[in-house]
Amino acid sequence: MKKIDCTGLQCPTPVSKVKKYFDSIGEGEAIVLLDNEIANGNVTRYAMSHGYHVESREKDSVYEVVIEKRGCLEILEEEKKVSILISSDKLGEGNDKVGDTLMMRYIDVISEEEKLPTALIFLNSGVRLVCEGSKVIEGIKLLEEKRVKIYCSATCLKDYKLDDKLLIGKRVDMTEIVEIMNSAENLIKL
């Protein structure tokens, strides 16, 4: 049985490691070692959502999650058009450093997901994320390579004096932004 040691790792890294392993095999088992309840819950939910058999137990302050991928139930869901409106270059409120880190991790995680959004729409200070100097530009480029449409407010680019700094995405006006938002079945605002 494969052992995946995720002790000392913060989410989403344990889920990413488990996903990478199970994506690389047809069938098999792994025991995942975790040292915090949040990671245990996230890994367990991930495995269950993919139809894997899961058993979790705590032993000496370490969670052992046994995951088995055999003849898994295929979970079929209808694909929905999801657009994400990103109106800030930081995720959350408060500490700027934490907000930067959270946004970097968010972009990294969604770029690795199987279910991708249809579009990312950048407004307000969010336009900084698709311009020169962006710490997340590689993740956004990866999303575009995976056919996620990237849109950027022309008005916001002009207002933030970034007209000539745009690296990725299509400049759009408010009419186009409203059309994109209205065509989405689900709209997520960050």
Side-chain angles (χ1 to χ4, degrees):
M1 182 181 312
K2 170 79 173 172
K3 182 186 277 189
I4 304 173
D5 187 353
C6 296
T7 56
L9 300 178
Q10 295 180 341
C11 280
T13 305
V15 174
S16 295
K17 287 181 78 166
V18 169
K19 178 184 183 313
K20 184 177 180 179
Y21 172 70
F22 281 101
D23 284 351
S24 74
I25 64 169
E27 290 187 345
E29 296 179 3
I31 184 165
V32 184
L33 303 176
L34 305 154
D35 60 359
N36 69 76
E37 190 174 334
I38 292 172
N40 178 54
N42 289 342
V43 167
T44 300
R45 275 189 298 282
Y46 166 80
M48 291 175 69
S49 73
H50 283 76
Y52 306 156
H53 182 269
V54 181
E55 288 183 34
S56 178
R57 58 187 173 259
E58 186 179 2
K59 180 179 173 183
D60 300 326
S61 300
V62 174
Y63 293 91
E64 295 179 347
V65 183
V66 178
I67 303 172
E68 183 179 5
K69 179 181 180 183
R70 295 207 198 293
C72 296
L73 300 172
E74 189 172 334
I75 298 176
L76 299 174
E77 293 180 17
E78 187 177 317
E79 293 293 321
K80 293 191 176 192
K81 288 184 177 180
V82 176
S83 292
I84 301 174
L85 181 68
I86 300 176
S87 61
S88 175
D89 58 342
K90 294 166 184 34
L91 189 56
E93 295 182 21
N95 184 314
D96 284 350
K97 186 177 179 182
V98 172
D100 285 340
T101 300
L102 289 172
M103 183 59 78
M104 287 179 1
R105 293 187 85 172
Y106 178 77
I107 295 294
D108 285 345
V109 170
I110 66 168
S111 67
E112 294 176 4
E113 287 294 308
E114 289 176 32
K115 293 180 184 176
L116 297 171
T118 306
L120 298 179
I121 308 161
F122 294 89
L123 296 174
N124 299 325
S125 66
V127 298
R128 293 179 178 141
L129 300 173
V130 290
C131 292
E132 288 177 19
S134 169
K135 295 177 182 176
V136 297
I137 199 70
E138 293 307 315
I140 295 171
K141 284 180 180 178
L142 180 59
L143 286 164
E144 186 180 55
E145 288 170 13
K146 293 180 176 184
R147 299 189 176 170
V148 174
K149 293 183 171 121
I150 310 296
Y151 299 102
C152 188
S153 166
T155 302
C156 295
L157 283 170
K158 187 174 183 177
D159 188 58
Y160 282 90
K161 298 180 182 13
L162 296 170
D163 266 334
D164 59 339
K165 308 284 188 206
L166 183 65
L167 296 176
I168 190 168
K170 178 182 176 187
R171 295 170 199 263
V172 291
D173 63 18
M174 189 52 70
T175 302
E176 291 170 292
I177 290 170
V178 170
E179 287 174 10
I180 296 160
M181 290 168 61
N182 285 339
S183 71
E185 292 171 315
N186 290 322
L187 180 67
I188 299 168
K189 182 188 179 289
L190 299 181

